Structures are given as C-alpha cells and as structure tokens.
Amino acid sequence: MNHEEGTSLPYLVRIPLGEHGMVLKTKEPWPRTSRLYCHPAEWPQAPEILERVPVRTCRRRGAAVDLVLDRKQLNRSQFVFTRARGRQMIFWQTAKVAKQARPNVSLPTARASGRVLVIIADTNERRGWSFSAQQAEVVKRKLPIGDYAVEDAAGRLVAAVERKSLDDLAGGLLDGRIRHQAAELAGLPRAAIVVEERYSAVFGLKFVRPAAVAEAIAELSVRVPTVPIVFAETRKLAQEWAYRFLGAALAHVEEDRQAAGVMADLTGVVVEVDAGPGPATTASAAEVRRWARDAGITVSDKGRVPTHVREAFEAARSSSADPGGHDDQGDQGTV
C-alpha cells in the first residue's frame, strides 16, 4: 500500500527490473477495465504487502515492459512508456484493455507517427513510389540498403523497405539475390520487403514453378525472421503500408530512447538503444568501387554495387564490430 497522504494512487507495484526493481504507484492493483496511470515511487522501508506473486517473465521490449505472472488468471500485462500532454507518462494495461481502447481501427488518413515524414528514396529506384497521397517529403539519395528509408535525428538509418513486383520477387528468390538483400536489411533495427501483389498471385506465375517460389518465400521468412515479406495486394496499398511502417519505426526508435532514459532513472540500469548504423557506415558507391579494385575484385563503373561486394567492404571496414542486438530482460522474481 502507498500511505502518502492525499494520494490518488494508493497502490505500489515493484517490478523485477534492475538491481532494486522498478517501483510504481498506481490507482488499482490490476488494470481490469481500463489502463492505469502509473508514477515513479520509492519503496517504503516497512511496506504493507497486499499480494506477492511469482513472476514468470519480465521483459523490456522497446518502449514497454511485458509482465507475465505465475498464476492462472490476471497474469499478463504491459507497462507502456509514452509521451502525452508534453511529458513522459507510464500506463499499465492488459491486452483486453488495449483492444477495448481501439475497436475496429480503420485505415488512418493522418500523418504517420504525427509528423510530415521525410522518406529517403534510393537514386537507383525506377518508377518508384512518390508518396503523393501521403504527408511525406521524398528526398533522393543513394541508400546502402533498401529502396526507401528513414533516419533519426543523428542521421542513422533506422528503417528501410525493399519494394518488389511479383516477377522481381520470384526471380530474386530463385537466383539468390533476395537472400543477400534480406541479410543486409536485417542489420537495421526495422526492415521489410513489400510486394505489390497478393500472395495468391504466386500460384498463377507462368514462367517459374509456383511451388518453388512459395517454398523460397517460406525458407527466407524462417532464415531472416526480422525482415517480413509483406504482400500488399496493390501498388497503392504497398505504398501506404510502407509509409505507415517507416513512420511507426521512426517513432518507435524515439520512444525507445526516451523509455530507456526513464527506466535507467528508475532502476539504475543504463539501457543502450540500438538505433542502427550511423552515417559513417553509409559508404558511397565510388568508395566501395575503389576498395574493390584495390582488393582485386572486379566491379562495373556504373549501376548499383553488387550486394556481395558491399558486404565484403563492410566486413573489411568493421571486422571487429559486434553487431549483437539489445534486449533487456529482467530476472525472474516476484511482483
């Protein structure tokens, strides 16, 4: 119990994150009908314990903490770190509460992540998306990965989309090109391959075996699970999906960084946020070609640098780098 005088948040919850746990005060002991506002608090020296429950998992995922308790009912919830009314806020919710808050969501017409999105389009992209129906500014620039991307405030690529027609997808899967592209995309915090066709059209392909293409799609999805292959049905819907995806990815990185700062203050554990490769990792095609010639690798003077050449360049330049991801997981304990 929280014994502060005049408080509207009479309950304390201690979550097993960090050395001493994260302590929050809240209005109810569990979010049953609506999400609960939480505020950082101090754990009292002689607390009145109302309930002590074993914790199955307590894991930080971006700007949220997923909490699963070791009991049959009222066991799954999430603490969400967000900004509202110009300040950092924490909400405690269950999946049922979150669903009730946003019933029957329709396709939005507002800005992606509440801003005019600056989308970088690769200079080699031909007959690409203009995003004329979306609130976006398109900047043409050479991209090391993908056809469309967004950067954070520090100039780091945080998300990219590779656009494919069905024929391009089928050809790339069967000759192995897309496997290399997916491996490159997986180096970003968020990435996807978007196809301007529906999945059922795979089985109507005429000049390749549909079963071989379907098998290759499944194999790639298993090999590189962090880069989904999205069949968006039409070119218009593919463009809309990419716009929303890039906006959400950029907002997620920013929220993740803010949440990491708040959690560090509450738990004393500094959380490093992986925002993707910085500007120094984005080498120009000319730089890669010069390196390739010096290394005795044959490369053309025009067009896109082959994926395997760029991979070899990046490996040579940063062979000692550790590309491991960051996923903070609290120790199992009690709450």
Side-chain angles (χ1 to χ4, degrees):
M1 290 291 294
N2 180 19
H3 294 293
E4 293 180 5
E5 293 185 4
T7 181
S8 61
L9 306 174
Y11 295 93
L12 291 177
V13 179
R14 186 166 66 180
I15 308 164
L17 277 179
E19 182 179 357
H20 303 292
M22 182 169 63
V23 181
L24 302 172
K25 54 185 178 181
T26 186
K27 185 178 181 180
E28 301 289 344
W30 188 262
R32 294 173 181 269
T33 59
S34 62
R35 64 179 186 172
L36 300 176
Y37 170 73
C38 301
H39 194 79
E42 296 289 337
W43 191 251
Q45 292 185 351
E48 178 187 349
I49 304 297
L50 298 181
E51 187 177 14
R52 189 186 299 269
V53 185
V55 173
R56 188 180 302 169
T57 59
C58 182
R59 182 185 296 271
R60 174 181 176 272
R61 297 184 186 278
V65 173
D66 292 328
L67 178 67
V68 181
L69 304 181
D70 191 11
R71 62 187 183 188
K72 292 184 178 180
Q73 295 181 338
L74 304 179
N75 59 350
R76 294 179 180 272
S77 64
Q78 184 181 66
F79 293 87
V80 180
F81 294 73
T82 185
R83 291 192 68 84
R85 302 170 187 170
R87 62 191 180 97
Q88 189 75 40
M89 304 184 78
I90 306 171
F91 291 99
W92 188 15
Q93 65 184 26
T94 63
K96 181 179 179 179
V97 167
K99 184 177 180 180
Q100 289 174 343
R102 298 184 64 189
N104 300 323
V105 176
S106 59
L107 187 65
T109 58
R111 299 172 178 177
S113 67
R115 75 188 78 193
V116 176
L117 201 61
V118 178
I119 300 176
I120 305 168
D122 187 62
T123 52
N124 288 327
E125 185 68 341
R126 299 290 182 265
R127 298 182 62 253
W129 298 328
S130 64
F131 296 98
S132 58
Q134 290 78 22
Q135 299 191 52
E137 175 187 349
V138 179
V139 177
K140 282 279 189 178
R141 203 173 77 207
K142 179 63 181 176
L143 286 173
I145 310 170
D147 295 318
Y148 302 90
V150 289
E151 293 178 334
D152 64 6
R156 291 183 291 255
L157 290 181
V158 298
V161 167
E162 182 78 21
R163 180 180 70 94
K164 295 293 182 187
S165 66
L166 182 59
D167 290 338
D168 190 18
L169 176 74
L173 286 170
L174 297 181
D175 66 17
R177 284 183 292 112
I178 292 184
R179 179 180 295 183
H180 292 293
Q181 290 176 340
E184 283 188 293
L185 290 167
L188 291 175
R190 298 291 183 271
I193 297 171
V194 182
V195 187
E196 299 173 336
E197 188 55 88
R198 64 183 66 190
Y199 179 70
S200 60
V202 169
F203 303 97
L205 291 168
K206 300 297 183 182
F207 302 105
V208 295
R209 289 180 55 240
V213 176
E215 189 72 15
I217 292 171
E219 181 184 357
L220 184 61
S221 299
V222 172
R223 284 180 176 270
V224 193
T226 59
V227 182
I229 301 175
V230 178
F231 289 85
E233 192 171 351
T234 67
R235 178 183 175 91
K236 181 179 180 180
L237 290 177
Q239 181 176 243
E240 172 67 18
W241 190 95
Y243 170 67
R244 298 295 166 186
F245 173 80
L246 293 173
L250 183 58
H252 175 80
V253 167
E254 294 173 349
E255 291 172 358
D256 194 10
R257 185 176 292 110
Q258 294 170 355
V262 174
M263 292 180 198
D265 292 338
L266 294 176
T267 65
V269 177
V270 178
V271 179
E272 185 177 350
V273 178
D274 183 5
T281 65
T282 307
S284 65
E287 184 180 354
V288 177
R289 287 191 175 93
R290 284 195 299 271
W291 172 86
R293 294 189 183 100
D294 293 340
I297 300 175
T298 302
V299 62
S300 62
D301 294 331
K302 297 180 180 181
R304 175 174 292 187
V305 176
T307 300
H308 70 277
V309 176
R310 186 172 286 278
E311 287 178 343
F313 169 81
E314 296 294 347
R317 188 171 67 166
S318 57
S319 58
S320 61
D322 179 12
H326 301 278
D327 185 13
D328 299 312
Q329 180 173 357
D331 297 332
Q332 292 186 357
T334 59
V335 60

